[in-house]
Structures are given as C-alpha cells and as structure tokens.
Amino acid sequence: MSENVEKVAEQLDKVILDEEGKPLSKKALKKLEKEQEKEKRKQETAARLAAEKSARDANATDCSKGKYGKLPLNQSQERTYQRRERIEDITAERAGETIHFRARVQTARATGSKLCFYMLRQRNSTIQGLVSADDEQISKQMVKFATSIPAESIVLVEAKIVKAAEAVKSCTVQDVELSIQQLWIVSEAVARLPFTLEDASRPEEIFAKEGAQFSRVNLDTRLDNRIIDLRTITNQAIFRIQSGVCRLFREFLTKQEFVEIHTPKIISAASEGGANVFKVSYFKGEAFLAQSPQLYKQMCVCGDFERVFEIGSVFRAENSNTHRHMTEFIGLDLEMAFEEHYHEVMYLIGDLFTYIFDGLKTQYRAEIETIRRQYPFEEIEYPPKPLRLEFKDAVALLRENGVEMGEFEDLTTENERFLGKLVKEKYGTDFYMLDKFPLAVRPFYTMPDPSRPGYSNSYDFFIRGEEIMSGAQRIHDPEYLEERASAAGVDLDTIRSYIDSFRHGASPHAGGGVGMERVIMLYLNLGNIRKSCMFPRDPKRLEP
C-alpha cells in the first residue's frame, strides 16, 4: 500500500465503519479511495464538456463572429488596395456611406453591455464612433471586446457614416458619428500611459476656475514622455505650424532667387567669436559646434551665389534656464548681396515675415483654432509694411516712460518687453524692426554706421516685445575685418580662411538669423519655447 493510502487509512479507520459497525480494512479503504477518484474524474469531465458546450453555444449566437479581433503582425504579407479614409474628410454629405480607416482609440466608454462610445483619432482630427449591440449584426461579445481595447491602441475600422443628432463638441468632426461594423486591433498599447490625453489636452483656462478637480500635466512630465504628449491634437497643430513656417520661409526666399545651402556644424573656431560655444573632441584635437552658419553664408556670397539661406541646427553653450533659451535650436538663416544699402536686405526680411504671417493665417486656420482652444491667445497685429524704429528712438521712448538706461546700453529682457508694450500702444503693431544698434553690443563682423560713431548697420526683429531675429550689414573688406576682429579679441589664425575669402573681391552684403522656435512660441503666445520645440535641449535636458 502506498504511503499516501496508509495515511488516509490511518485517518479513515477511526471514523468509517462497515455495516456491522466495524472499522474498514485497509483493502476496503483502498477500494473506496479508487471509487472516489473515479467519481472526481467523472465530475471534471462533465464540467469540461459543459464548458465546451457553453462556448459552442456562445459562438453560435455571436452574430459578429469574424468582424472583430486582433490582426496578425503586419509583415507586409499582402496588399488589398482597400481605400483608407482620413477623418477630416468625413462630412455630413457622406452620410450613409460605409468607410474603412485606421485610427487610435483615444477613449472607450461603455454604457451597459450593449453600447460602447469611442473617440477615434488621426493626427489632429477626432471623431466619435459607437459599437451598438442589436443581436442581428453587432453582438454583445463585440461590444465587450470594443470596451476592452486599451487607450492609444491602433485599430482598423469599418463603419457607416451617420449624421449626429446633436453636435459632438468633444471632437473636431462634430456633425457626424460612425456606426462601427468591424473592429480590428492593428497594434495594442500594452504599457500603462504616463498621463491621459484628455488631461494633456484640457484648456488652460479650466485650471483657473475655482474648484477645478482636473489633473494638470506639467511641462517636465510632458517632455519626459514626449511621444505620448505629441499625440495631442494641440501638439499636432503646433508642429504642423512649425513645418508651415519653414515651408513659407523657403517658399518666399526661393521666389526671390535665393539658393538653399548646407554648411558645416563642426568647425575649427567659434563662429561668433564668443565663449558660449560647445567644444568637442575631434580625433587628436578639438573642434566646436557651430553657433550659426554666419561665416559660411558670407563665404557663399563671396562665391557669387549672392543670395543664400539655410534651415539647420544652431548650438549655444549658454547656461540660461529661461522661457526662451535653448542650447540647440533651428536657425532660419539668410545672407544677401545688396546693390547700395543694407536696408534692401532689412526690408526684404520684413516682407518675408509678412509673407509667413499671412500664410499661417490663411493656410493654417484650422490648426490655429485647435491651439487656441487649449492655449487661448490673441493673434498678432502687423501692418502690410513692417514698422522700423531706430535704437535711439526706442531708448527715448523708454526714457519717456520712466526707464533709466544709457544711450549705448543694450536692451534687457525686461526693457524689450516693455518696449513691445509701448510700441503696441503707440503704433498698433506686435511686430516691428529695431535698426541701428550700438556697435559695442554686436559681433565683430558688423559694419559700423559711418555717419554716427558708436552705432552700427544692424537690426533686430521683434514679436510681442521679444527678439526673434538678429542681423546686420557685414564687413566685407579683409583689412577692416582683421582690425575689428583683433579689437574683439578674436584669434585671427582661427578665422583665417574666413577673412581670406574676402581678399578676391566681395560684394556688400547683409543678412540675419531667425530662431524658428521663438517665432512659433511668440506667434502662438505659448509662453515657453519648449512647447514649440519637438525635443528641446537646454542646460538640464538631454533626453529624450
């Protein structure tokens, strides 16, 4: 007898008696144990068969079988050439059509066991969908499946367009909704979201209301989880506008016969002649990350390209943790030979900005309105021809309003903003040019003003009281350039190739560099440059 049976026998012979009232023998106990095991197996088999029957019955009554589930991994196994729709193209005029499209599940909300409401999203467009059980086409099992899909999963949908009984205000497409007929998971979100897109998309004004109970997603949390944050329709709109600024910049200059160039970002000397430069190891020596394409733009003008521009990264090793500074940003740079006066270039740049602002207003109206819903702002005001002020007149305006500053003193950030407010009140514009800066506050290659000692042929452009562009006429005479560089403490050997490029004849020229992210930040009044940079870099952030 096995050890287990002996133990059972030892326990049972105390309590189990035969018909005569005598304890069962060990042989009888063993027989009893076998009978009990047989009955247990019989019960388990019956339960399994019942479960299988129940499953068969459920499948038999699932009228949606084959209309939902999880698709196999897409390895480009086949092409069906099935037309896929864009949410923004779904209109009330198309009511009754059956369409197919792929989207993300932003939210899934069940109402009982027969109805599930969806918010489906593509890029910066959202639409309401619903899965409604009717026991003929859509089953309760399909509704249960729809409810179980995690937020941010990607699904493939077949749906019928239906006119909405009332406006769906939570979505960008408000006059129709979708009656979902088929629902397939393409890619399931398996990780827990760091925050919901509803929390990340709430209008700022909600948090100012007394008693607001909503969660606020702070900027650092957004940037730490940038991939999720970029999915909000507001960020989709911001970075489409960013793309638009670059496109309009390129478009205008190309029409003005500029040539797009691409210059080195690893250089042998600090391009601005200053200390705020990143050093990098370069084989057995060292190099620097370019602070601007300044020197190369000028060299291209000397190479008879005459009009050039570049869109590229700019690096500044400034330990500035402000709302408008970054250690890497995108520069929109241009350089141009002029005929008689650097104002030819300055006013062309003014027309360039007008072209960009007009283009954003007419071509990106939907994106602007999307952003305004979360970050309310007043659109900038600007005249057809930009306002030009001279630096001395700006100083006089500030002094008239109680600001104490020297004639050749550079503007502080605070004074810049105050000046912007004064200009808006006096001239009715948020955008203007400030000309004739003091020579002492400009780079060594800036041309001095020949008629007013202490000033220079240089200019800045401003939006809402903050600088977005700095530019000037450049010194194109090599001897004079050496003199100015030496006075600024620049080692001439480190810029020898730059100076030598002017020794074979150089046209008078001027240009400037625009901080692309600053333009977006100030145009949309976002308040922080990190909101207008996809993956910002500052003294405290190198990831993601």
Side-chain angles (χ1 to χ4, degrees), residues 265-281:
K265 303 305 172 216
I266 302 175
I267 58 178
S268 61
S271 50
E272 299 285 348
N276 298 323
V277 60
F278 287 111
K279 290 183 180 180
V280 296
S281 60

mmCIF file of all heavy atoms in Angstrom, residues 265-281:
data_model
loop_
_atom_site.group_PDB
_atom_site.id
_atom_site.type_symbol
_atom_site.label_atom_id
_atom_site.label_comp_id
_atom_site.label_asym_id
_atom_site.label_seq_id
_atom_site.Cartn_x
_atom_site.Cartn_y
_atom_site.Cartn_z
ATOM 1 N N LYS A 265 28.510 71.944 -39.326
ATOM 2 C CA LYS A 265 28.167 72.218 -37.930
ATOM 3 C C LYS A 265 29.331 71.886 -36.996
ATOM 4 O O LYS A 265 29.281 72.194 -35.812
ATOM 5 C CB LYS A 265 26.928 71.406 -37.522
ATOM 6 C CG LYS A 265 25.709 71.678 -38.397
ATOM 7 C CD LYS A 265 25.351 73.145 -38.456
ATOM 8 C CE LYS A 265 24.271 73.409 -39.486
ATOM 9 N NZ LYS A 265 24.449 74.686 -40.175
ATOM 10 N N ILE A 266 30.347 71.233 -37.522
ATOM 11 C CA ILE A 266 31.591 71.000 -36.775
ATOM 12 C C ILE A 266 32.640 71.913 -37.395
ATOM 13 O O ILE A 266 32.986 71.757 -38.567
ATOM 14 C CB ILE A 266 32.048 69.531 -36.868
ATOM 15 C CG1 ILE A 266 30.951 68.601 -36.348
ATOM 16 C CG2 ILE A 266 33.329 69.323 -36.078
ATOM 17 C CD1 ILE A 266 31.285 67.135 -36.530
ATOM 18 N N ILE A 267 33.118 72.881 -36.622
ATOM 19 C CA ILE A 267 34.020 73.889 -37.166
ATOM 20 C C ILE A 267 35.258 74.033 -36.296
ATOM 21 O O ILE A 267 35.302 73.562 -35.153
ATOM 22 C CB ILE A 267 33.300 75.246 -37.322
ATOM 23 C CG1 ILE A 267 32.747 75.716 -35.979
ATOM 24 C CG2 ILE A 267 32.154 75.126 -38.340
ATOM 25 C CD1 ILE A 267 32.064 77.080 -36.053
ATOM 26 N N SER A 268 36.254 74.724 -36.824
ATOM 27 C CA SER A 268 37.551 74.810 -36.135
ATOM 28 C C SER A 268 37.636 75.965 -35.156
ATOM 29 O O SER A 268 38.554 76.018 -34.335
ATOM 30 C CB SER A 268 38.669 74.960 -37.169
ATOM 31 O OG SER A 268 38.490 76.162 -37.922
ATOM 32 N N ALA A 269 36.699 76.923 -35.226
ATOM 33 C CA ALA A 269 36.735 78.076 -34.335
ATOM 34 C C ALA A 269 35.326 78.522 -34.009
ATOM 35 O O ALA A 269 34.378 78.223 -34.743
ATOM 36 C CB ALA A 269 37.507 79.226 -34.993
ATOM 37 N N ALA A 270 35.171 79.232 -32.898
ATOM 38 C CA ALA A 270 33.867 79.751 -32.509
ATOM 39 C C ALA A 270 33.366 80.720 -33.580
ATOM 40 O O ALA A 270 34.005 81.729 -33.849
ATOM 41 C CB ALA A 270 33.968 80.455 -31.159
ATOM 42 N N SER A 271 32.216 80.420 -34.175
ATOM 43 C CA SER A 271 31.744 81.192 -35.323
ATOM 44 C C SER A 271 31.337 82.611 -34.965
ATOM 45 O O SER A 271 31.381 83.509 -35.799
ATOM 46 C CB SER A 271 30.569 80.468 -35.990
ATOM 47 O OG SER A 271 29.598 80.097 -35.031
ATOM 48 N N GLU A 272 30.942 82.848 -33.715
ATOM 49 C CA GLU A 272 30.551 84.193 -33.308
ATOM 50 C C GLU A 272 31.661 84.901 -32.535
ATOM 51 O O GLU A 272 31.486 86.018 -32.070
ATOM 52 C CB GLU A 272 29.288 84.134 -32.432
ATOM 53 C CG GLU A 272 28.082 83.539 -33.131
ATOM 54 C CD GLU A 272 27.460 84.482 -34.134
ATOM 55 O OE1 GLU A 272 27.820 85.676 -34.128
ATOM 56 O OE2 GLU A 272 26.627 84.044 -34.944
ATOM 57 N N GLY A 273 32.777 84.228 -32.358
ATOM 58 C CA GLY A 273 33.900 84.851 -31.666
ATOM 59 C C GLY A 273 33.713 84.971 -30.171
ATOM 60 O O GLY A 273 34.444 85.680 -29.494
ATOM 61 N N GLY A 274 32.717 84.263 -29.611
ATOM 62 C CA GLY A 274 32.436 84.370 -28.185
ATOM 63 C C GLY A 274 32.815 83.114 -27.426
ATOM 64 O O GLY A 274 33.355 82.163 -27.974
ATOM 65 N N ALA A 275 32.497 83.123 -26.112
ATOM 66 C CA ALA A 275 32.868 81.998 -25.258
ATOM 67 C C ALA A 275 31.766 80.955 -25.159
ATOM 68 O O ALA A 275 32.017 79.838 -24.694
ATOM 69 C CB ALA A 275 33.190 82.515 -23.855
ATOM 70 N N ASN A 276 30.551 81.285 -25.578
ATOM 71 C CA ASN A 276 29.419 80.386 -25.422
ATOM 72 C C ASN A 276 29.365 79.365 -26.556
ATOM 73 O O ASN A 276 28.489 79.391 -27.410
ATOM 74 C CB ASN A 276 28.118 81.184 -25.376
ATOM 75 C CG ASN A 276 28.066 82.123 -24.198
ATOM 76 O OD1 ASN A 276 28.532 81.794 -23.117
ATOM 77 N ND2 ASN A 276 27.509 83.303 -24.401
ATOM 78 N N VAL A 277 30.341 78.471 -26.544
ATOM 79 C CA VAL A 277 30.479 77.513 -27.630
ATOM 80 C C VAL A 277 30.768 76.137 -27.051
ATOM 81 O O VAL A 277 31.438 76.006 -26.025
ATOM 82 C CB VAL A 277 31.602 77.961 -28.601
ATOM 83 C CG1 VAL A 277 32.932 78.055 -27.884
ATOM 84 C CG2 VAL A 277 31.693 77.040 -29.798
ATOM 85 N N PHE A 278 30.237 75.090 -27.690
ATOM 86 C CA PHE A 278 30.481 73.719 -27.254
ATOM 87 C C PHE A 278 31.763 73.196 -27.901
ATOM 88 O O PHE A 278 31.891 73.210 -29.131
ATOM 89 C CB PHE A 278 29.317 72.807 -27.652
ATOM 90 C CG PHE A 278 28.073 73.005 -26.834
ATOM 91 C CD1 PHE A 278 26.943 73.570 -27.403
ATOM 92 C CD2 PHE A 278 28.035 72.627 -25.498
ATOM 93 C CE1 PHE A 278 25.785 73.747 -26.660
ATOM 94 C CE2 PHE A 278 26.885 72.804 -24.745
ATOM 95 C CZ PHE A 278 25.760 73.368 -25.334
ATOM 96 N N LYS A 279 32.672 72.721 -27.066
ATOM 97 C CA LYS A 279 33.873 72.064 -27.569
ATOM 98 C C LYS A 279 33.618 70.570 -27.678
ATOM 99 O O LYS A 279 32.968 69.972 -26.818
ATOM 100 C CB LYS A 279 35.056 72.304 -26.632
ATOM 101 C CG LYS A 279 35.574 73.732 -26.615
ATOM 102 C CD LYS A 279 36.792 73.839 -25.719
ATOM 103 C CE LYS A 279 37.332 75.279 -25.697
ATOM 104 N NZ LYS A 279 38.528 75.409 -24.828
ATOM 105 N N VAL A 280 34.121 69.973 -28.743
ATOM 106 C CA VAL A 280 34.000 68.527 -28.913
ATOM 107 C C VAL A 280 35.364 67.966 -29.292
ATOM 108 O O VAL A 280 36.175 68.651 -29.918
ATOM 109 C CB VAL A 280 32.970 68.168 -30.004
ATOM 110 C CG1 VAL A 280 31.578 68.614 -29.595
ATOM 111 C CG2 VAL A 280 33.334 68.780 -31.347
ATOM 112 N N SER A 281 35.631 66.731 -28.867
ATOM 113 C CA SER A 281 36.889 66.105 -29.262
ATOM 114 C C SER A 281 36.830 65.776 -30.744
ATOM 115 O O SER A 281 35.795 65.334 -31.255
ATOM 116 C CB SER A 281 37.140 64.837 -28.438
ATOM 117 O OG SER A 281 36.099 63.906 -28.627
#
